[in-house]
């Protein structure tokens, strides 16, 4: 009896906590956006955003480099931290989108296949190792959906690795501003972030193409099924 | 049946009528047919017991109606899970596996670890049934939130109401077991009050107007 009371209490608490926080309007709005989004426009707008993030971070990093060459170490560190904060904001945006992509990928019956993850575009050792392992796992998985979600997992992991590396490099640069190694590591991290962005865009494109394969009639039917019964 | 229990039973009857009217008027039945059947079964049970207690307030009728309610509660949990994931093939695969695992586990527990059901020992087997139904609902809720799957507010209200009631029911059975049949009047009254609260909540949810965004393609 005690076991049943304990199990019921845990089950009830889980249910009330999760469903209590559940926001149907927000969930419907997300699905509404997915089913409404003009495909090409969504891809172009994401590409522009990624280019802007990359340009801003690189500009800040180069300015920090110039300040360092001019022996203005405090200025160099301040600007390097600005470059890091740009990467952190961009990283948070990428992680949010990856989570959303993982959710929406479950809606489509078939997803455009992606090539296996590869270590080639990356420079950081950790990221290269993660991509290599994911490349092996990709061959073991059968479904395109599972492979797609593996991609998303690798991309999320990659963003976290790059951001952690960026923070460590900034701290190391603050401790010893003359040493070139932290700056080189930060530059490698930015290259890796760009490579991750490129893969992110490829995955986003694959998802959008797969979503657009659902024709208008099916979208309306799906919407009816999702949002039906509203009175 | 005490006077208080009779008053609560009649109040529950009114609330159940309001619930059924709301289900019909707002077209909620298609959101969960098992729930509509459950509401009707509860109303019927309530009417029979409160109007003809000498005939229907008996252990054998209690066993019969409780069996029907238990089956319908399980059906509600399964139908809600099925409806939530019907449009999402990827998530539906996981949902099927989780529900199947829970059903298998519950069946094994009920078949091998639970005593034979009888009215005199209802605290021995009823909590297992209630816990199984509660966990089916909890698993559905967890998957709905994990996959960000849209569920209707009324379906959400069914789960949000039924789970706490089942917990109260299990706890009250625990008290009944601990204090024996001498405590059956306060336990039954508490259970009836909890059920009345639940039905009032469901009635409110059934009548509530729900708004949803326009279908795709109709807005920018």
């Amino acid at each position: 009896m005690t076991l049943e009371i304990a199990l019921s209490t845990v089950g009830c608490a889980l249910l009330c906590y999760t469903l209590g926080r559940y926001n149907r309007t927000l969930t419907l709005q997300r699905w509404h956006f997915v089913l409404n989004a003009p495909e090409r426009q969504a891809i172009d707008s994401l590409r522009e955003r990624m280019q802007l993030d990359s340009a801003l971070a690189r500009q800040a990093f180069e300015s920090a480099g110039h300040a360092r060459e001019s022996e203005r170490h405090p200025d160099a560190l301040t600007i390097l931290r600005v470059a890091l904060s740009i990467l952190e904001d961009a990283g948070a945006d990428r992680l949010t989108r990856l989570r959303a992509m993982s959710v929406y990928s479950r809606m489509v019956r078939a997803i455009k296949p992606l090539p296996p993850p590869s270590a080639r575009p990356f420079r950081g050792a950790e990221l290269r190792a993660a991509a290599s392992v994911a490349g092996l796992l990709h061959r073991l998985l059968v479904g395109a959906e599972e492979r797609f979600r593996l991609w998303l997992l690798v991309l999320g992991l990659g963003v976290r690795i790059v951001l952690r590396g960026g923070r460590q490099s900034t701290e190391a640069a603050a401790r010893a501003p003359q040493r070139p190694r932290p700056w080189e590591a930060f530059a490698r991290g930015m290259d890796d972030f760009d490579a991750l962005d490129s893969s992110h865009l490829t995955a986003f494109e694959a998802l959008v193409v797969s979503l657009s394969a659902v024709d208008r009639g099916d979208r309306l039917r799906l919407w009816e099924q999702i949002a039906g019964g509203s009175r | 049946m005490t006077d208080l229990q009779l008053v609560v039973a009649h109040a529950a009857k009114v609330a159940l009528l309001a619930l059924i009217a709301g289900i019909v008027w707002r077209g909620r039945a298609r959101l969960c047919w098992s729930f509509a059947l459950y509401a009707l079964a509860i109303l019927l049970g309530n009417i029979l017991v409160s109007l003809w207690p000498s005939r229907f307030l008996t252990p054998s009728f209690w066993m019969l109606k409780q069996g029907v309610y238990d089956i319908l509660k399980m059906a509600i949990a399964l139908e809600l899970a099925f409806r939530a994931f019907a449009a999402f093939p990827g998530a539906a695969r996981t949902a099927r596996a989780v529900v199947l695992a829970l059903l298998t586990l519950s069946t094994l527990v009920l078949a091998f670890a639970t005593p034979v059901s009888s009215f005199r020992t209802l605290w021995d087997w009823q909590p297992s049934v209630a816990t199984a139904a509660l966990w089916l609902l909890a698993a559905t809720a967890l998957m709905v939130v994990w996959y960000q799957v849209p569920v209707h507010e009324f379906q959400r209200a069914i789960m949000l109401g039924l789970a706490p009631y089942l917990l109260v029911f299990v706890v009250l059975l625990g008290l009944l077991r601990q204090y024996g049949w001498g405590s059956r009047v306060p336990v039954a009254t508490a259970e009836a009050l909890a059920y009345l609260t639940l039905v009032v909540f469901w009635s409110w949810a059934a009548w509530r107007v729900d708004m949803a965004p326009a279908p795709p393609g109709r807005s920018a």
Side-chain angles (χ1 to χ4, degrees):
Chain A
M1 183 55 120
T2 317
L3 179 67
E4 277 107 348
I5 291 175
L7 282 174
S8 299
T9 307
V10 173
C12 183
L14 276 175
L15 186 144
C16 291
Y17 179 75
T18 50
L19 278 190
R21 289 161 56 92
Y22 175 84
N23 185 337
R24 179 175 189 246
T25 310
L26 187 65
T27 309
L28 279 178
Q29 276 169 358
R30 284 183 185 147
W31 286 101
H32 189 243
F33 171 76
V34 169
L35 293 173
N36 255 334
E39 297 84 30
R40 189 39 56 191
Q41 198 184 319
I43 294 166
D44 288 345
S45 122
L46 179 60
R47 183 179 290 116
E48 277 168 25
R49 172 155 195 176
M50 285 174 164
Q51 284 167 350
L52 183 67
D53 285 340
S54 172
L56 283 173
R58 281 191 185 280
Q59 195 182 6
F61 182 68
E62 278 166 22
S63 303
H66 292 317
R68 180 174 162 258
E69 281 161 17
S70 324
E71 303 283 319
R72 289 184 287 121
H73 294 301
D75 289 348
L77 276 173
T78 306
I79 308 172
L80 185 66
R81 287 196 181 105
V82 171
L84 176 66
S85 73
I86 293 169
L87 281 185
E88 280 179 329
D89 286 349
D93 168 75
R94 307 301 184 264
L95 291 175
T96 307
R97 189 173 302 96
L98 286 170
R99 179 162 152 65
M101 281 161 71
S102 170
V103 169
Y104 298 139
S105 71
R106 293 168 203 281
M107 195 193 91
V108 289
R109 280 179 191 278
I111 203 152
K112 188 185 159 190
L114 291 170
S118 156
R120 206 172 306 138
F122 304 115
R123 296 179 63 194
E126 261 185 280
L127 198 46
R128 287 177 66 83
S132 303
V133 171
L136 286 173
L137 284 175
H138 180 93
R139 286 173 180 82
L140 296 176
L141 294 174
V142 180
E145 274 178 59
E146 282 76 17
R147 287 177 165 178
F148 182 80
R149 282 196 279 278
L150 174 70
W151 252 79
L152 302 184
L153 270 177
V154 174
L155 291 177
L157 183 67
V159 169
R160 287 185 183 92
I161 289 173
V162 168
L163 291 181
R164 200 189 59 206
R167 285 184 209 112
Q168 285 170 349
S169 304
T170 310
E171 281 165 21
R175 280 196 300 271
Q178 294 84 2
R179 284 184 62 209
R181 192 171 281 180
W183 293 81
E184 288 162 8
F186 198 96
R188 276 199 303 276
M190 286 211 308
D191 289 343
D192 283 344
F193 199 86
D194 284 349
L196 285 168
D197 266 359
S198 168
S199 301
H200 189 110
L201 196 63
T202 308
F204 184 73
E205 214 163 349
L207 179 63
V208 168
V209 167
S210 309
L211 281 169
S212 65
V214 182
D215 68 26
R216 194 179 144 67
D218 283 348
R219 283 182 198 211
L220 282 172
R221 266 193 297 281
L222 187 64
W223 179 254
E224 270 304 304
Q225 212 169 342
I226 290 171
S230 303
R231 258 219 276 178
Chain B
M1 192 177 253
T2 63
D3 286 347
L4 178 60
Q5 283 175 325
L6 198 62
V7 169
V8 174
H10 288 319
K13 213 182 325 302
V14 173
L16 275 165
L17 284 170
L19 170 64
I20 291 164
I23 288 173
V24 173
W25 186 259
R26 296 271 184 222
R28 307 289 197 220
R30 65 200 166 87
L31 295 171
C32 188
W33 287 104
S34 324
F35 182 76
L37 274 177
Y38 175 70
L40 285 171
I42 293 279
L43 179 65
L44 182 66
N46 181 307
I47 288 171
L48 294 176
V49 171
S50 57
L51 296 186
W52 297 282
S54 56
R55 181 150 186 194
F56 292 104
L57 195 58
T58 60
S60 59
F61 185 72
W62 190 92
M63 290 289 286
L64 174 71
K65 78 179 170 79
Q66 199 57 35
V68 173
Y69 297 166
D70 287 342
I71 290 167
L72 286 171
K73 272 182 239 164
M74 285 289 190
I76 290 168
L78 291 175
E79 189 181 343
L80 287 176
F82 169 78
R83 286 185 183 279
F85 298 102
F88 307 92
R93 273 200 297 273
T94 314
R96 269 197 299 274
V98 170
V99 166
L100 190 68
L102 277 174
L103 278 178
T104 310
L105 186 68
S106 316
T107 310
L108 289 174
V109 169
L110 289 171
F112 298 109
T114 309
V116 179
S117 55
S118 81
F119 185 75
R120 297 300 305 172
T121 59
L122 65 99
W123 48 72
D124 281 336
W125 53 276
Q126 218 8 255
S128 306
V129 181
T131 307
L134 200 156
W135 267 95
L136 273 179
L137 292 170
T140 305
L142 283 173
M143 286 186 290
V144 159
V145 173
W146 175 257
Y147 289 118
Q148 284 296 303
V149 168
V151 288
H152 196 278
E153 283 297 343
F154 186 60
Q155 292 168 327
R156 180 171 166 251
I158 293 172
M159 292 193 261
L160 271 176
L162 195 51
Y165 167 73
L166 287 172
L167 173 61
V168 169
F169 185 59
V170 171
V171 170
L172 287 173
L173 284 175
L175 292 175
L176 188 64
R177 179 189 190 149
Q178 195 171 350
Y179 297 107
W181 283 105
S183 65
R184 74 179 182 280
V185 172
V187 164
T189 310
E191 191 272 336
L193 282 169
Y195 205 80
L196 175 62
T197 313
L198 172 66
V199 178
V200 168
F201 170 66
W202 278 340
S203 305
W204 169 78
W207 280 100
R208 207 176 123 184
V209 177
D210 176 59
M211 302 300 288
R218 287 188 202 166
S219 61

